[in-house]
Amino acid sequence: MPDRTVSILGYACGALIAGYLALVVVTVSMAAWQTNLAMEVHETEADIARLESRYYDMVAHIDQTDPAALGLVAPTRVMYATTQTAPSVTLR
């Protein structure tokens, strides 16, 4: 029995060391993955901020444009959808 106990304990110790090393590798790879994701999030936020700034600049440019200079005129007649009666369907 003692001769097998030493070999069983040796295999168990080797398995525990291998499991520990595997967990260390997984932990380091997950930390690196999280760091890369955090960098991507910051880059994406910067891209969104740039696009937002560009959008607001374009809106300001359109807002400053004079419609009459583009040949646009005020409508002669305005008709809203609420002034029309809606068609009704009944069971009768």
Side-chain angles (χ1 to χ4, degrees):
M1 181 89 165
D3 58 341
R4 288 195 297 177
T5 305
V6 171
S7 63
I8 290 172
L9 288 176
Y11 290 137
C13 183
L16 287 174
I17 289 173
Y20 174 76
L21 290 176
L23 288 175
V24 167
V25 167
V26 168
T27 301
V28 168
S29 64
M30 289 292 192
W33 184 48
Q34 184 208 13
T35 303
N36 287 339
L37 285 177
M39 281 192 324
E40 286 181 25
V41 165
H42 288 301
E43 289 172 0
T44 304
E45 286 174 348
D47 290 343
I48 290 171
R50 258 189 274 128
L51 285 173
E52 246 180 11
S53 174
R54 185 172 168 219
Y55 169 76
Y56 287 127
D57 289 342
M58 292 172 74
V59 167
H61 176 70
I62 291 171
D63 192 36
Q64 292 172 356
T65 305
D66 183 24
L70 298 174
L72 300 174
V73 294
T76 57
R77 188 175 68 132
V78 177
M79 192 162 103
Y80 296 100
T82 55
T83 60
Q84 305 246 343
T85 58
S88 61
V89 177
T90 62
L91 293 175
R92 293 183 191 178

